[in-house]
Amino acid sequence: MELTSDVLVNSLLALGAAALVITLWLWPRLARQRPLPVLGRIGLMTVVQVSILAVLALSVNNSFGFYTSWDDLLNPGGAKLALTSNENHKGGTPVSDKLVQPTDEGGLEGVTNLPKGAPEEVGKVESVRVNGKETGFSDQMFVYLPPEYFDPKFALVRFPVVLTLAGFPGTTLNLLKELPTVQTAAELQRSGKMPPTVLVLARPSVVPSRDTECVDVPGGPRTETWFTKDVPEALQSAYRLGRSAASWGVFGYSTGGSCAMRLSMRNPNVYGSATGLHGDFSVRQDQYTGGDLFSGDKTLTQQHDLGWRLQNLPAPSLNMLVVSTRTETDYQQTVQFVDQATQVAAANPQFKVDSLYLDDGGHNFDSWTRELPASLEWMGAHLG
């Protein structure tokens, strides 16, 4: 039973309810002040309280994604496996001797609104574990393969791909349950508003308890290397994906949106298109990042500031969409960045920037869900 599964939460709820009923029934029989009745009362209260606390802890974890598997919880510092292979994935399921391995973790069985039918008709969502040779990281992801991927007529075709990043703290499962990413993309592709595209769903940090902002932390986790080297290399070894930056896009909301814009602007040779929903344009410093990720290094801080890059470095070869709402707390900062990017784009045709603003909405899934169809349609139009 997976850590993030609804079955586990419901089972503990049932256990707590049963323990409460039994406690009410037995309490009069355990009223005497003798050792055994006293121990009985303590035991019953312990079971009820532990069940309630476990349900609360699991609910919070499922919402914020601190731990996505039992291995994350029980062995967070465990060894990470990295295997190699160069053969292309021909069907639907990666084999176990590759950088991409099938896994049952992640709670995919609890998502009930995915398109139903044969893979060649509706596509397929796979739960896989991706292993990195460069960083040694290993993390669980979901991969959506469109129906055309299973069509013999497309057997020699390499498909465009969008790396989709959740917020922090948040689980990869949020990209299916809270934000209907695959469901929306599948409908757009079915209606011809988006080309057949592979979606890779991931969380922005492979260090669950720390927001690393998708950067290489000096002396710490190399999250940027993970997303710009390890993840593309592993996925290309397992699936028929495009090899050029024009075929790769990165999309995200909140922290994932910050990562999408930052990864693409710093690595346009990897991701040729990017969409950031309600993202930041500089690296945050708060309790989740553990303070300054760069330990006071002003050069690194500047190089990861997107506004500074536009002003001081050559414009990247990149298509970018910035999305927010006019009532978002950092709306003015977003407008300022878009205006600056638009001026740079006017003098550098290889750099293109578009923007999308809703009239109302906050930093929440309701806003991101409303922004999702247009954002994915834009992404599909800019992928090679």
Side-chain angles (χ1 to χ4, degrees):
M1 193 178 298
E2 288 297 326
L3 179 65
T4 57
S5 69
D6 292 336
V7 176
L8 180 58
V9 175
N10 293 334
S11 298
L12 288 173
L13 276 173
L15 175 62
L20 180 59
V21 171
I22 294 173
T23 298
L24 294 174
W25 180 60
L26 290 179
W27 198 264
R29 294 168 174 78
L30 300 173
R32 290 178 293 180
Q33 300 301 315
R34 294 181 179 179
L36 287 180
V38 170
L39 290 175
R41 294 198 297 270
I42 293 175
L44 289 172
M45 292 176 62
T46 300
V47 172
V48 172
Q49 293 184 11
V50 168
S51 299
I52 294 174
L53 289 174
V55 169
L56 290 175
L58 285 172
S59 299
V60 171
N61 181 70
N62 289 352
S63 296
F64 293 101
F66 297 112
Y67 302 97
T68 59
S69 68
W70 289 110
D71 185 64
D72 268 349
L73 177 64
L74 302 176
N75 188 31
K80 302 302 182 183
L81 179 64
L83 302 175
T84 60
S85 174
N86 292 319
E87 295 182 7
N88 290 327
H89 180 48
K90 304 301 183 185
T93 305
V95 295
S96 60
D97 62 343
K98 295 186 177 182
L99 288 168
V100 177
Q101 302 173 339
T103 178
D104 294 328
E105 63 187 303
L108 185 59
E109 72 283 351
V111 183
T112 59
N113 62 340
L114 291 174
K116 294 178 174 59
E120 59 271 18
E121 296 175 355
V122 300
K124 182 181 180 182
V125 178
E126 299 185 338
S127 179
V128 299
R129 176 158 286 275
V130 178
N131 304 296
K133 292 193 298 183
E134 181 74 17
T135 63
F137 288 155
S138 178
D139 206 15
Q140 184 265 343
M141 300 179 182
F142 298 119
V143 177
Y144 167 71
L145 304 172
E148 290 81 1
Y149 192 90
F150 303 92
D151 190 332
K153 292 185 295 185
F154 294 89
L156 299 179
V157 172
R158 293 189 178 276
F159 288 79
V161 56
V162 177
L163 173 66
T164 308
L165 300 174
F168 181 94
T171 172
T172 307
L173 200 61
N174 283 350
L175 290 164
L176 290 172
K177 299 185 86 171
E178 304 295 340
L179 188 68
T181 311
V182 166
Q183 300 89 326
T184 303
E187 176 59 27
L188 289 172
Q189 294 180 36
R190 186 193 66 80
S191 62
K193 296 181 179 180
M194 185 179 185
T197 304
V198 173
L199 267 63
V200 178
L201 279 54
R203 56 181 176 176
S205 177
V206 290
V207 184
S209 60
R210 188 182 186 190
D211 179 10
T212 55
E213 292 282 302
C214 297
V215 306
D216 283 356
V217 181
R222 294 190 295 158
T223 318
E224 182 178 35
T225 300
W226 163 251
F227 281 122
T228 58
K229 184 174 177 59
D230 282 346
V231 170
E233 179 181 351
L235 293 171
Q236 287 170 346
S237 76
Y239 298 99
R240 301 195 312 273
L241 305 178
R243 300 290 182 176
S244 68
S247 299
W248 281 73
V250 55
F251 167 97
Y253 65 87
S254 189
T255 299
S258 307
C259 289
M261 294 185 290
R262 187 176 302 116
L263 289 172
S264 60
M265 283 195 67
R266 287 177 51 82
N267 303 273
N269 60 318
V270 179
Y271 299 106
S273 299
T275 298
L277 276 58
H278 299 229
D280 295 315
F281 305 100
S282 59
V283 175
R284 297 178 66 89
Q285 297 183 28
D286 54 28
Q287 67 271 29
Y288 299 111
T289 62
D292 185 357
L293 291 170
F294 303 122
S295 302
D297 190 320
K298 293 184 178 180
T299 300
L300 286 177
T301 300
Q302 288 178 334
Q303 289 177 355
H304 288 80
D305 185 300
L306 303 190
W308 184 91
R309 295 186 68 86
L310 285 176
Q311 185 175 355
N312 295 277
L313 297 178
S317 179
L318 176 67
N319 301 304
M320 176 179 287
L321 174 65
V322 180
V323 184
S324 190
T325 68
R326 291 185 171 86
T327 54
E328 177 67 283
T329 55
D330 60 354
Y331 170 67
Q332 293 302 325
Q333 296 177 1
T334 301
V335 171
Q336 181 180 354
F337 173 82
V338 170
D339 288 345
Q340 182 183 5
T342 301
Q343 295 176 9
V344 172
N348 299 273
Q350 79 278 9
F351 177 59
K352 299 181 178 65
V353 61
D354 293 313
S355 58
L356 169 66
Y357 302 117
L358 293 183
D359 288 334
D360 57 59
H363 203 81
N364 53 53
F365 283 107
D366 175 69
S367 298
W368 301 327
T369 299
R370 287 188 288 149
E371 296 159 353
L372 183 62
S375 300
L376 288 178
E377 187 173 346
W378 179 95
M379 181 68 79
H382 289 81
L383 288 174

